[in-house]
Amino acid sequence: MPDYRRLYVSGGQYFFTLVTEGRRPILKDETARESLRIAIERCRAKLPIEMTAIVLLPDHLHMMWTMPVGDSDFSNRMQRIKAIFSREWLSRGGTAGLVSEYGQRYGHKGIWQRRFWEHFIRDTTDFENHYQYIHYNPVKHGYVKNVSDWPWSSFHLAVKKGYYSQNWGCADDSLPVKYTDLDLE
């Protein structure tokens, strides 16, 4: 197995993918979505991040964050979000998945995959590609035909801010959002 090392950059922008254990579709449940909202809010109250984009799918989510200047510890934030979510989800009647003996020894709950995937955003083209990927993801997976039909996405906020038209991603509107058009302050 290759020696994987995470790239920690103070004030950096990152794209993340977080997947449920066994790809269980728990995020389609309103209780799970509320638990995730609470987890992100509690994490951000202690360890600030700027949430640039997010999309929730039944078994995974994608997020784009900008880290504060002087801080690069996204791993701690992700760990907190997963832990808070797990407590909230289980306390509200959610169920855990199967956990291996190894996982049980290390306290895994059978809710999230042990790891998460991150990608450091290198430049404006990389930003635009990942921003659009996040918002187009429900169409890519076949959940909806139009990006605007998926309710659990920051796409709707991006439309309100003028970054996208309401029919972005449809055959008749392929104009992409540009990084320079975004008000990230």
Side-chain angles (χ1 to χ4, degrees):
M1 179 172 202
D3 186 20
Y4 180 76
R5 296 181 194 267
R6 297 194 187 277
L7 178 61
Y8 294 95
V9 177
S10 169
Q13 290 182 313
Y14 293 89
F15 168 86
F16 299 97
T17 300
L18 187 56
V19 181
T20 61
E21 183 66 39
R23 288 212 171 252
R24 291 177 46 218
I26 63 174
L27 297 175
K28 67 182 182 179
D29 183 285
E30 179 61 34
T31 301
R33 292 190 300 271
E34 178 65 14
S35 297
L36 184 62
R37 185 190 62 74
I38 289 167
I40 291 170
E41 283 179 2
R42 287 185 187 163
C43 176
R44 289 173 76 181
K46 290 192 182 252
L47 299 168
I49 52 168
E50 178 186 333
M51 180 82 65
T52 310
I54 186 169
V55 67
L56 302 178
L57 296 143
D59 61 356
H60 70 286
L61 64 111
H62 299 292
M63 297 180 284
M64 190 180 288
W65 295 353
T66 302
M67 299 297 296
V69 174
D71 191 346
S72 63
D73 191 3
F74 57 79
S75 290
N76 188 28
R77 287 165 171 84
M78 194 65 71
Q79 179 183 3
R80 281 177 177 263
I81 289 170
K82 289 167 66 174
I84 295 167
F85 172 90
S86 296
R87 282 192 301 275
E88 283 292 318
W89 168 246
L90 293 172
S91 74
R92 294 166 176 254
T95 58
L98 298 175
V99 181
S100 68
E101 281 185 38
Y102 171 85
Q104 289 173 13
R105 279 195 306 264
Y106 291 96
H108 298 169
K109 304 282 188 239
I111 296 171
W112 295 109
Q113 285 185 359
R114 199 168 66 110
R115 298 184 186 265
F116 62 90
W117 190 81
E118 100 285 340
H119 168 78
F120 175 70
I121 303 296
R122 297 177 309 274
D123 56 29
T124 58
T125 301
D126 198 23
F127 177 93
E128 291 163 6
N129 289 339
H130 284 84
Y131 193 79
Q132 292 173 27
Y133 178 88
I134 286 172
H135 294 122
Y136 196 75
N137 210 246
V139 175
K140 175 188 172 233
H141 285 284
Y143 294 118
V144 291
K145 290 189 178 200
N146 299 304
V147 176
S148 61
D149 294 337
W150 191 253
W152 303 290
S153 169
S154 57
F155 172 77
H156 305 285
L157 180 59
V159 168
K160 284 181 186 174
K161 290 184 173 185
Y163 304 156
Y164 290 121
S165 69
Q166 184 65 31
N167 62 341
W168 176 84
C170 299
D172 61 338
D173 187 7
S174 59
L175 295 175
V177 66
K178 294 291 183 195
Y179 178 81
T180 54
D181 296 337
L182 298 175
D183 176 17
L184 298 176
E185 298 303 318

